[in-house]
Amino acid sequence: MTSSALPLADGGSGTGAPESPVVAHIKDYLARLRGGDTGAMPAVLGLVVLCTVFAIMRPKFLSAGNFANLFTQGAAVTVIAMGLIFVLVLGEIDLSAGFASGVCAAVLAVLLTEHDWPWYAAVLAALVVGMVIGLVLGVLVAKVGIPSFVVTLGAFLAFQGVSLLLVKGGTNVPVRDSTILAISNRNLAPIVGWLLAAAAVAGYGVVHVRRNRSRARRGLSAEPIAITGLRIGMLAVLVGLAVYVLNQERSRNTVISSLRGVPIVVPVLVILLLVGTFVLRRTPYGLSLYAVGGNREAARRAGINVDRVRISAFVICSTMAAIGGIVAASRANSVDSNTGGSNVLLYAVGAAVIGGTSLFGGKGRVLDAVLGGAVVAVIDNGMGLMGYSAGVKYVVTGVVLLLAAGVDALSRRRAEAAGLR
């Protein structure tokens, strides 16, 4: 005698009651986790653990002044990592992004200081240089057929020389323009910080509600309203706490100067995050990037101009590197031959991978760069407060990067085994 194999109408609970949409959503999320789609969870968990450990070991880590430092400290690397996402999604690599940022920063500083260009013209020139660099790299990779590793390794070496030539053999070129310096060294008025926070939360809520309604109209499964409300509520709490802390007085002597408000570089990062996310997630071009990164031949047969997509990704990457160079020049108040060098590239690639972008292509979000950049900045900052040497920082950052790459490889294997890829 055999038992019945008919499925239960209530989704398996056997109680006869319809399953709650929230419960079904949670089950679906857990199923995706088991299938290897970990999303941002590893980076978020790592960030929480690191912040907890450093806060216990060094209470100063949670001070308002140090919290503001984290943003300015990690901004340049995060911006460069945002650009690298576009290349990594294709399954390519750009090893020259760090020194490309240095070359663009040198162009900016030389035009501002030695040729008295206005800041907007110098910024435009730096961005154009970044675009040209990306165009050359992209053509060599897509049209000539040289592997991106080789092309960008050659550029990595060449740009060090270009940077030395621009700053005339290693001199330090000061940046005195008040607009450029304000990017990493000035803060928004406290009320402006609150207004931007309210606008960010409201915008996030509108986007999610509209997306749910759009999916419902097309007969697709939509996120339960309770989950959407929870997301919006959590974002409101996190953003509100961040603005509250940053609006505290951070100056050691308020008689001389006051230091309050959200650093200007924060809304710059948010704007780049929103634009990059929109391009990747909401435009046909973004979908083409994922298609080419997932399967180049299939994308070509689907009618996508693969070469143009690959070239454009390098252009975006180098242009973002130029913006990262401008942010770095603003923070340092100067540019020298080491700007964009040292560990900048390694930290940027590490930030993208730690955040969840796959080195195998086809998977990545601009948000990954922000989360990974935060992890890298927290490690660097926290270990600095604890008095560890640069050598220990490199070892720990490298171990975290290996862990992230290991999670990526295991997730990919599980996804393939589960038939999700």
Side-chain angles (χ1 to χ4, degrees), residues 68-221:
N69 282 341
L70 284 172
F71 289 102
T72 54
Q73 194 172 344
V77 166
T78 301
V79 173
I80 296 171
M82 287 180 179
L84 281 168
I85 297 289
F86 287 80
V87 173
L88 292 174
V89 163
L90 293 176
E92 306 283 1
I93 188 70
D94 184 354
L95 298 176
S96 67
F99 273 111
S101 74
V103 169
C104 296
V107 169
L108 173 86
V110 168
L111 293 178
L112 284 175
T113 305
E114 298 181 6
H115 300 278
D116 295 324
W117 280 34
W119 69 267
Y120 49 85
V123 167
L124 181 62
L127 295 178
V128 169
V129 170
M131 293 172 66
V132 171
I133 288 173
L135 182 64
V136 173
L137 296 178
V139 168
L140 289 174
V141 172
K143 293 295 185 184
V144 182
I146 307 174
S148 59
F149 178 85
V150 178
V151 171
T152 57
L153 180 61
F156 172 86
L157 298 171
F159 292 156
Q160 293 185 59
V162 174
S163 188
L164 272 171
L165 293 172
L166 286 171
V167 298
K168 297 175 182 173
T171 58
N172 188 298
V173 182
V175 175
R176 301 189 183 90
D177 185 272
S178 59
T179 303
I180 299 298
L181 294 179
I183 296 173
S184 294
N185 298 290
R186 299 292 297 274
N187 305 297
L188 299 173
I191 185 63
V192 177
W194 283 118
L195 291 174
L196 288 178
V201 175
Y204 180 82
V206 169
V207 168
H208 268 265
V209 171
R210 290 187 60 179
R211 186 180 67 178
N212 286 346
R213 288 181 175 176
S214 173
R215 290 182 64 87
R217 278 198 301 271
R218 288 180 289 166
L220 302 173
S221 62

Side-chain angles (χ1 to χ4, degrees), residues 36 38 43 49 106 114 151 154 162 203 212 214 228 234 239 241 253 256-257 283 285 315 328 360 366 373 379 388:
T38 56
V49 170
E114 298 181 6
V151 171
V162 174
N212 286 346
S214 173
T228 302
M234 288 177 63
V239 173
L241 277 175
N253 191 339
I256 297 176
S257 66
T283 65
Y285 169 73
V315 171
F360 301 99
V366 180
I379 293 173
Y388 286 111

